[in-house]
């Protein structure tokens, strides 16, 4: 399909079920807010929410005066209010998923934020990746406040993406230095269990090298 459309698929084999005429420019990110709601972000500067079953656009907002670089949504299991995170240049803004009202902003990177991901289950942690060569873990302290609690350093070039393991005990970062790094996320002497108990830290446990230019 074209870069400014989104499609949903179902069944054992990929058969197109629905096509969303979504944006006027390239779509750069997608996130599931729930099994029924999809979030899309584009170079046209807009972020949109969609009802997946009908393809109906539910809402649109424009986080920045420049293109969005990444988008994420809190997991459906989260007990607190659902949030959407949008990255643009050096900051990340948070938005209530129901009203699309802004719920805070964080700064901490020296260059563009290239990816953003909430932790699984409750989404009380956020990891950001940046062109400054670092990733940061943030912990939610209140409805509008997120504090940086760990900086992951080790890549020699810009970071492109980050991912949490299902149990949040591991982070993977990728970089234009052509490596993947594996980080163990822990609190005190043990594996991280509850962000409210103690802010987590991350330590490098492996580096994968194998991709070419």
């Amino acid at each position: 399909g074209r870069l400014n459309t989104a499609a949903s698929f179902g069944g054992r084999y990929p058969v197109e079920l629905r096509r969303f005429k979504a944006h006027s420019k390239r779509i750069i990110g997608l996130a599931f807010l729930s099994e029924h709601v999809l979030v899309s972000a584009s170079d046209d500067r807009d972020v949109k929410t969609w009802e997946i079953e009908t393809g109906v656009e539910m809402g649109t907002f424009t986080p920045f005066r420049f293109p969005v670089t990444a988008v994420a949504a809190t997991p459906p299991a989260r007990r607190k209010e659902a949030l959407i995170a949008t990255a643009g240049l050096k900051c990340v803004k948070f938005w209530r998923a129901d009203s699309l009202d802004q719920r805070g902003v964080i700064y901490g990177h020296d260059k563009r934020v290239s990816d953003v991901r909430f932790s699984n289950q409750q989404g009380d942690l956020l990891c950001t990746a940046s062109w400054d060569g670092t990733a940061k873990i943030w912990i939610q302290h209140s409805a509008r406040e997120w504090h940086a609690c760990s900086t992951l350093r080790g890549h020699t070039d810009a970071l492109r993406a980050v991912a949490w393991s299902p149990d949040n005990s591991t982070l993977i970062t990728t970089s234009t230095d052509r490596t993947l790094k594996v980080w163990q996320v822990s609190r005190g002497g043990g594996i991280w269990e509850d962000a409210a108990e103690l802010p987590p830290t991350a330590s490098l446990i492996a580096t994968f090298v194998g991709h070419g230019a």
Side-chain angles (χ1 to χ4, degrees), residues 14-197:
V15 177
E16 183 175 320
L17 300 177
R18 189 164 291 102
R19 183 173 294 269
F20 304 85
K21 178 57 180 176
H23 294 275
S24 61
K25 293 186 179 180
R26 181 185 62 156
I27 296 172
I28 58 86
L30 296 170
F32 278 100
L33 192 57
S34 72
E35 61 180 313
H36 304 293
V37 180
L38 181 72
V39 182
S40 61
S42 168
D43 279 345
D44 65 10
R45 302 187 300 165
D46 287 341
V47 175
K48 295 176 180 287
T49 56
W50 306 86
E51 187 176 52
I52 296 173
E53 293 179 0
T54 64
V56 172
E57 181 181 324
M58 301 171 63
T60 299
F61 63 100
T62 307
F64 311 102
R65 292 175 294 177
F66 37 81
V68 179
T69 56
V71 65
T74 50
R78 177 179 165 92
R79 292 189 295 269
K80 299 178 183 178
E81 64 181 4
L83 296 174
I84 298 170
T86 56
L89 293 186
K90 300 179 184 179
C91 74
V92 175
K93 291 183 178 180
F94 300 91
W95 311 83
R96 282 186 57 150
D98 53 1
S99 65
L100 302 183
D101 294 330
Q102 189 173 338
R103 296 295 279 173
V105 60
I106 55 176
Y107 296 87
H109 287 287
D110 296 328
K111 295 183 179 180
R112 168 177 170 167
V113 177
S114 53
D115 199 14
V116 56
R117 288 289 179 266
F118 287 102
S119 59
N120 298 302
Q121 287 87 52
Q122 294 307 310
D124 289 336
L125 297 176
L126 183 81
C127 187
T128 54
S130 170
W131 283 9
D132 65 12
T134 70
K136 290 182 181 289
I137 300 175
W138 307 76
I139 185 171
Q140 186 174 15
H141 276 252
S142 68
R144 292 181 175 272
E145 292 186 1
W146 293 73
H147 295 174
C149 54
S150 186
T151 299
L152 287 58
R153 294 183 174 89
H155 286 287
T156 59
D157 209 336
L159 268 63
R160 303 295 298 180
V162 64
W164 293 90
S165 64
D167 64 355
N168 300 321
S169 66
T170 305
L171 274 170
I172 307 291
T173 54
T174 66
S175 169
T176 53
D177 66 10
R178 303 197 298 274
T179 68
L180 289 79
K181 290 187 181 292
V182 184
W183 309 81
Q184 184 180 73
V185 182
S186 59
R187 57 176 183 85
I191 299 299
W192 177 83
E193 294 176 0
D194 185 353
E197 294 182 15

Side-chain angles (χ1 to χ4, degrees), residues 180-183 203-208:
L180 289 79
K181 290 187 181 292
V182 184
W183 309 81
S203 55
L204 180 64
I205 58 175
T207 298
F208 299 159

